């Protein structure tokens, strides 16, 4: 694919009036655009002045969350816990294991990128966003530089509640039992 043509088109329609442009790219998406060659990946990343790298400490939680969304076809972002037939939950163990392997390799990929490139980078953890999102938002905003606008939180936006995590907790225990031979 012609990555440059794609990015040029994307930048034309997504750059703010004051010149800010940013995208979120996960490692598989990046390699789908650039291919696996390090030089091509580096060339893509060097287009950006600053990088914010987001990873998750709890890889098993990430793998379970990914498996739930893959099985249900929905990325849950609400208070209602997803429903999966109890008989199918055991069948999710190999999917969770594949996801876990993928996320560990992606984390290593992100870590390697952060060691090799020269751009200013900020690495944040998903868990920090959950525990103190405002503080992380402030840190990212400060890192990216002055936006030239005052940010006011709107009370008109309804932020969905996070699901209770009961299914994820059950799947975590099932996975741990399976790999421990219980």
């Amino acid at each position: 694919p012609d990555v440059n043509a794609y990015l040029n088109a994307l930048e034309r329609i997504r750059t703010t009036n004051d010149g800010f442009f940013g995208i979120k790219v996960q490692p598989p998406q990046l390699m789908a655009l650039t291919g696996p060659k390090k030089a091509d990946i580096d060339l893509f990343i060097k287009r950006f002045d600053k990088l914010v790298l987001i990873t998750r400490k709890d890889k098993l939680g990430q793998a379970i969350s990914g498996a739930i969304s893959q099985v249900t076809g929905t990325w849950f972002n609400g208070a209602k816990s997803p429903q999966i037939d109890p008989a199918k939950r055991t069948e999710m163990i190999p999917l969770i294991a594949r996801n876990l392997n993928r996320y560990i390799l992606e984390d290593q990929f992100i870590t390697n990128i952060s060691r090799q490139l020269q751009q200013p980078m900020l690495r944040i953890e998903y868990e920090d966003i959950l525990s103190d999102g405002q503080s992380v938002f402030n840190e990212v905003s400060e890192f990216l530089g002055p936006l030239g606008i005052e940010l006011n939180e709107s009370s008109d936006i309804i932020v969905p509640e996070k699901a209770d995590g009961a299914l994820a907790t059950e799947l975590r225990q099932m996975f741990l039992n399976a790999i421990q031979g219980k």
Side-chain angles (χ1 to χ4, degrees):
D2 187 348
V3 176
N4 287 325
Y6 172 74
L7 275 177
N8 289 335
L10 192 60
E11 288 170 357
R12 273 195 306 275
I13 61 172
R14 298 297 298 173
T15 299
T16 62
N17 291 337
D18 54 2
F20 282 91
F21 172 77
I23 58 173
K24 174 185 175 264
V25 180
Q26 296 175 344
Q29 296 165 328
L30 175 61
M31 288 197 279
L33 283 173
T34 64
K37 292 182 182 175
K38 181 185 176 320
D40 294 334
I41 293 169
D42 290 352
L43 191 62
F44 175 85
I45 292 174
K46 286 178 183 176
R47 293 178 64 113
F48 300 94
D49 297 326
K50 295 181 180 182
L51 302 172
V52 177
L53 307 174
I54 304 173
T55 55
R56 186 166 170 176
K57 293 176 191 173
D58 181 6
K59 299 288 185 275
L60 181 53
Q62 184 180 7
I64 291 167
S65 177
I68 291 170
S69 71
Q70 288 166 298
V71 167
T72 62
T74 305
W75 186 260
F76 285 90
N77 193 13
K80 186 179 177 190
S81 190
Q83 299 298 310
I84 297 175
D85 183 334
K88 292 190 176 200
R89 294 176 190 181
T90 303
E91 297 172 13
M92 292 175 67
I93 301 300
L95 176 59
I96 293 168
R98 284 191 301 275
N99 284 351
L100 183 58
N101 181 61
R102 175 182 154 203
Y103 297 142
I104 289 170
L105 293 174
E106 287 178 7
D107 191 77
Q108 289 174 338
F109 176 83
I110 290 168
T111 298
N112 288 339
I113 284 175
S114 70
R115 289 183 186 144
Q116 297 168 3
L117 296 175
Q118 302 303 312
Q119 292 102 311
M121 287 179 231
L122 173 65
R123 186 164 181 168
I124 59 175
E125 301 287 349
Y126 170 79
E127 289 81 0
D128 294 335
I129 296 169
L130 289 180
S131 69
D132 189 359
Q134 186 62 50
S135 175
V136 173
F137 176 79
N138 291 342
E139 183 180 7
V140 170
S141 295
E142 186 175 307
F143 170 73
L144 293 176
L147 297 177
I149 59 172
E150 185 176 326
L151 299 174
N152 294 312
E153 191 171 327
S154 172
S155 59
D156 298 337
I157 299 172
I158 299 171
V159 178
E161 290 183 41
K162 191 169 172 62
D164 64 11
L167 177 60
T169 300
E170 179 185 336
L171 288 170
R172 178 183 291 271
Q173 193 56 57
M174 288 174 65
F175 182 82
L176 292 173
N177 286 344
I179 64 171
Q180 293 172 353
K182 294 181 183 176

